[in-house]
Each structure stands twice: as C-alpha cells, then as structure tokens.
Amino acid sequence: MKLNSANINVMIKACRKASKILIRDFGEIENLQVSLKGPGDFVSAADKKVEKILIEELQKARPDYSILSEEIGLIDNDKSFKWIIDPIDGTANFLHGIPHFAISIGLEHDKEIICGIIYDPIKDEMFVAEKGNGSYLNNQRMRVSSRSKLKDCMIFTGGPKITSENKELSLKEYNNFSSTVLVPIRKLGSAALDMAYVAAGRCDGFWQRNLNYWDIAAGIILVKESGGFVTDFDGENDYIQNKTILVTNSKINKEMIEVLNK
Ligand code: IPD
Ligand code: CA
Ligand code: CA
C-alpha cells in the first residue's frame, strides 16, 4: 500500500527534486568547515535554493494555491489551499555536518492540514500522510508506539533558543520530565523529524515551545494519521496560536500534560 493521490505525488516530486541539491550541498559542508569563512553563508544559500525548487515545482502543478514558506514568507493566492514549507528543518545540524535534517511540506485546506511530507534525504526516509488515508514511511504503514507508562518512554524536545521568551519555563519542563522518565530526554535538532519519529513509533512523546507553523505543519497530519495526539500543553487544540505543542502516542498524552502543568 502507498499514498498516491495527485497532491501527494506533487509533494513527493518536489521533495525528490530539491533533495538532490540538498545532498550535494551537504557533501560540500565538510570542506567549508575548515575554511576561514565557515559554512554560514553557504548554508543560507542552500536553504534558499531548496526553497526555490520546491516553490517552482509546487507552483507548476498547483498555480493557484497560496504558499507560506520560512524564507520568503507568504504568497497569497487561493484562500482555501496553502502549502506550508520549511525547506531545511534542522539547519544547525546541516551547518555542522550532522546528517539529521529534513524538507517539510504541509498542505492546508480550509485551515486544516490535510497532507504532509517530511523527507530526510540522507537516510532516504520519506514520511507521508494524507487525511483519512493513513501515514507511511517509505510506503510502509506507520503507527504510533503503544507504550503506556511515561517513565518507560523515549521523549524528545528542542530549544530553548538564546532569544526565547519563557526560557525558564522550558527549563522547568525539561527538569520535570528528566525526573520522570528513565531514558534521558533527546534533543535531535529537527522538530519536523521529531514529529515524524513520533508518527513512526520511534519516539513516544515530544513537547516544545515557540515553534513556527512551518516547523510543525507536516508533522501534525503524520502524527494524527498514525493514531497519535497533537495538542497544546492543556490538551486543547490551540497549539498553533499558543506556540506550545505536545505530540504523543495515544497513551501518554494525559501523563505528559500533568508533568507540563506541575
Ligand atoms: C529549527 C528546528 C529545531 C527547533 C527550532 C527550529 P530550523 O528549525 O526545528 O529543532 O528546536 O526551534 O527553529 O531553523 O532548522 O528550520
Ligand atoms: Ca524549522
Ligand atoms: Ca528552516
């Protein structure tokens, strides 16, 4: 089984094309690490190149859809359909030669994400989901994990950034989870892949403050179609507006909310 609706095929094609540039540029990073200038400018150029290819491909297939993309912002066309793009999620990993980053594209219809793709070009792992049709990793059906006790779970988070408001709150939450789970909390550096890993059952739960819509858009549908929960820290639906996202399998949502509200 696999997903093969027209929109999914458009997204896969765009990702495959853009990932060629991404893989090639990632191969250059090692050389740039040792140069005096460093890879900073090169990486922001890679980000823009990938974004350009994604937008060209998506616009070719769906000229009327709106686009919200991290680097260029909003292209305001059709009010009901919108692509939400993060050309490289995990830029700091990319910049440091760490092979853990992804392209992320979500498709919003009437304010709801209906399709999502998160593609890790280095591991060649493509996570895709479509509303009502399930979620897949390289054409294999995905399911969230079934662990039910938070203490036995693998939990991910990210941040806080140096500039983050609420830094103290994030650290308090980190501290509370650290005192609850046996396996130390992971910070892998790509929120999109964090969510894809919850969808795939590799990780049981993920929480983070201050993420942007493009970081999480595709992940939302992946997790939901895998049978997981996406909520804010109170178990409500306002995670995009509140910028507090909690992503879990179907068993530990309540327990994670309790820890977040300690
Ligand atoms: C970042 C990653 C990271 C998260 C940051 C994001 P970027 O996105 O998702 O995991 O902790 O908050 O900004 O900058 O690599 O696209
Ligand atoms: Ca991002
Ligand atoms: Ca990015």
Side-chain angles (χ1 to χ4, degrees), residues 70 86 88-89 91:
E70 182 175 11
D86 193 342
I88 309 179
D89 185 69
T91 326

Side-chain angles (χ1 to χ4, degrees), residues 119-139:
Y119 182 52
D120 174 340
I122 304 298
K123 301 179 199 76
D124 191 22
E125 290 193 319
M126 185 170 281
F127 303 85
V128 228
E130 184 169 40
K131 190 180 171 197
N133 290 329
S135 65
Y136 291 79
L137 164 54
N138 291 349
N139 298 332

Side-chain angles (χ1 to χ4, degrees), residues 95-113:
L95 176 70
H96 288 264
I98 298 170
H100 189 79
F101 50 86
I103 294 171
S104 173
I105 308 172
L107 176 60
E108 193 191 81
H109 180 230
D110 291 342
K111 309 271 174 245
E112 184 191 6
I113 298 290

Side-chain angles (χ1 to χ4, degrees), residues 10-257:
V10 166
M11 295 161 93
I12 292 177
K13 192 168 164 233
C15 262
R16 290 237 178 258
K17 187 160 183 197
S19 68
K20 295 205 175 91
I21 299 287
L22 202 51
I23 293 168
R24 199 192 61 202
D25 284 0
F26 186 66
E28 290 292 311
I29 292 285
E30 220 165 50
N31 304 330
L32 292 162
Q33 301 286 8
V34 292
S35 79
L36 274 183
K37 204 166 163 235
D41 291 348
F42 178 80
V43 172
S44 57
D47 233 328
K48 293 199 175 78
K49 263 189 284 177
V50 171
E51 180 177 68
K52 185 163 176 278
I53 295 169
L54 292 173
I55 290 177
E56 273 168 13
E57 286 296 305
L58 296 172
Q59 278 185 328
K60 218 186 325 171
R62 298 286 182 270
D64 298 338
Y65 287 15
S66 293
I67 295 178
L68 172 67
S69 185
E70 182 175 11
E71 308 299 326
I72 59 142
L74 183 65
I75 300 173
D76 206 5
N77 290 330
D78 184 307
K79 295 285 176 245
S80 59
F81 285 97
K82 195 194 285 176
W83 301 112
I84 316 289
I85 305 173
D86 193 342
I88 309 179
D89 185 69
T91 326
N93 284 344
F94 186 89
L95 176 70
H96 288 264
I98 298 170
H100 189 79
F101 50 86
I103 294 171
S104 173
I105 308 172
L107 176 60
E108 193 191 81
H109 180 230
D110 291 342
K111 309 271 174 245
E112 184 191 6
I113 298 290
I114 54 160
C115 295
I117 182 166
I118 294 177
Y119 182 52
D120 174 340
I122 304 298
K123 301 179 199 76
D124 191 22
E125 290 193 319
M126 185 170 281
F127 303 85
V128 228
E130 184 169 40
K131 190 180 171 197
N133 290 329
S135 65
Y136 291 79
L137 164 54
N138 291 349
N139 298 332
Q140 296 270 30
R141 189 78 164 84
M142 292 197 291
R143 282 259 153 240
V144 290
S145 71
S146 56
R147 274 187 207 91
S148 56
K149 288 199 186 78
L150 181 56
K151 110 174 162 2
D152 300 324
C153 285
M154 167 68 81
I155 302 297
F156 288 178
T157 191
K161 291 183 177 164
I162 194 165
T163 50
S164 295
E165 290 168 26
N166 300 328
K167 201 185 286 171
E168 292 309 317
L169 270 178
S170 300
L171 295 174
K172 182 173 152 246
E173 288 150 8
Y174 189 93
N175 204 11
N176 288 342
F177 279 113
S178 295
S179 316
T180 311
V181 295
L182 294 172
V183 179
I185 292 154
R186 284 347 188 212
K187 292 174 104 181
L188 304 190
S190 160
L193 286 174
D194 291 343
M195 292 178 75
Y197 281 21
V198 174
R202 294 174 178 174
C203 164
D204 307 298
F206 163 71
W207 93 94
Q208 190 165 339
R209 287 180 181 274
N210 300 320
L211 286 169
N212 289 303
Y213 193 26
W214 47 79
D215 299 315
I216 59 172
I220 293 169
I221 188 74
L222 285 171
V223 172
K224 287 186 177 169
E225 286 296 319
S226 287
F229 292 173
V230 184
T231 68
D232 64 14
F233 293 177
D234 295 317
E236 304 294 333
N237 250 327
D238 302 325
Y239 47 89
I240 297 168
Q241 303 87 304
N242 293 349
K243 295 201 163 208
T244 49
I245 190 163
L246 172 63
V247 177
T248 66
N249 71 16
S250 60
K251 309 270 174 70
I252 61 164
N253 185 263
K254 234 179 115 202
E255 232 191 311
M256 283 192 76
I257 290 170

